[in-house]
Amino acid sequence: MTQHDDKRRRLLGHLGRQLAYTAPMLALVTGGVTLHATVGDNESSPNLTASSALSLLLANAHAEGGAEGEAEGEAEGEAEGEAEGEAEGEAEGEAEAGTTAAVQRPEGYEPAYSESGNNPAELLARGEALYYDTSLSTNGMSCATCHGSDGQDMGYSATFEEAFPHRVAMAENPFGMAQVHADEMVQVCMVAPMQAAPLDWRGDALPSLTAYMVEVQRRFSGQSHGL
Ligand code: HEC
């Protein structure tokens, strides 16, 4: 092992402990993001930046997401019977598809929120509670950890000002989605930074949290909002 590999391993070990990873990934390539590239070849400044930490996070989520996706696919297939099982099975078949399938609107899905606002107050209230709920993640984070409390609205890119669906860098790479709806973006953040399983597409949590994020988007982009 070269000195460089050694250093990289120490860095990854450190990051792993910080973010409660089980296994640091050393050679994972995901949608063009390689750990080699993100941790960097710059021997003089081995400190991880926030963006390289996020890349690692995404790389790790990608690897684990695939496995989780499969496990869930199996569990759901069993619970929901054959018709569903077949669709899930197809998704599992493609090596790369596991994670993308988990964050993409399933066929026949009808969103239970409005992407242009005016959602019922109880949906927003439930969504706000979820936004602060660390039990949604497996790593102690809540949405508020990255996106701020009490209207701070941090951690977003300029794309968040555009009406959904739109392109989001984190959904494009590594999930391969050219555009996302608001609920799909919530799922991307569930699977990647939150290191969790996606929310149930038919449950109450997803439309609630998404309705809340739609209002956050309106606030972020200077429109009238209901928060
Ligand atoms: C570890 C940090 C982190 C956590 C935790 C996190 N996010 Fe994000 N989120 C990001 C980053 C980084 C971006 C910007 C991604 C981009 O533009 O490529 C983002 C962007 C978004 C966007 C806007 C995307 C757009 O431009 O349209 C939404 C909506 C969002 N997150 C929702 C959530 C929700 C809901 C949760 C909790 C379930 C959450 N995020 C948790 C890091 C995080």
Side-chain angles (χ1 to χ4, degrees):
M1 178 180 295
T2 67
Q3 206 194 345
H4 180 76
D5 285 341
D6 228 11
K7 188 179 284 179
R8 198 188 317 161
R9 176 159 289 181
R10 276 202 310 278
L11 281 168
L12 285 166
H14 180 62
L15 185 72
R17 279 192 299 281
Q18 273 186 340
L19 298 172
Y21 289 158
T22 46
M25 302 277 164
L26 286 174
L28 185 71
V29 181
T30 171
V33 178
T34 71
L35 297 191
H36 186 78
T38 52
V39 175
D41 289 321
N42 187 347
E43 296 281 349
S44 61
S45 64
N47 291 329
L48 285 163
T49 62
S51 78
S52 64
L54 183 67
S55 298
L56 281 167
L57 198 97
L58 288 172
N60 195 58
H62 189 71
E64 287 182 1
E68 276 172 24
E70 267 179 40
E72 271 185 20
E74 280 163 25
E76 280 180 28
E78 277 167 31
E80 287 158 22
E82 301 220 318
E84 291 272 340
E86 217 178 291
E88 305 267 1
E90 273 168 34
E92 277 173 43
E94 294 169 44
E96 280 299 302
T99 312
T100 306
V103 300
Q104 210 157 30
R105 287 181 171 185
E107 236 180 272
Y109 162 85
E110 294 286 343
Y113 70 94
S114 153
E115 211 146 78
S116 53
N118 287 321
N119 285 290
E122 67 263 25
L123 215 58
L124 299 181
R126 217 183 306 141
E128 180 171 21
L130 291 166
Y131 178 87
Y132 290 98
D133 189 347
T134 54
S135 73
L136 251 49
S137 75
T138 61
N139 54 17
M141 293 189 190
S142 72
C143 311
T145 307
C146 292
H147 296 307
S149 308
D150 303 323
Q152 278 173 306
D153 293 347
M154 55 195 216
Y156 302 112
S157 307
T159 49
F160 194 35
E161 293 193 17
E162 299 158 21
F164 285 106
H166 60 233
R167 180 194 158 269
V168 178
M170 190 159 69
E172 194 166 56
N173 183 5
F175 293 94
M177 297 167 78
Q179 289 205 322
V180 285
H181 285 284
D183 49 2
E184 292 173 322
M185 187 60 215
V186 169
Q187 300 287 41
V188 164
C189 275
M190 280 298 297
V191 171
M194 301 280 281
Q195 300 262 287
L199 296 169
D200 185 347
W201 289 97
R202 279 150 305 185
D204 288 341
L206 183 62
S208 305
L209 185 50
T210 307
Y212 179 72
M213 295 314 296
V214 165
E215 293 305 318
V216 169
Q217 182 197 33
R218 294 182 65 86
R219 179 173 64 198
F220 183 73
S221 55
Q223 301 175 65
S224 64
H225 61 84
L227 299 181

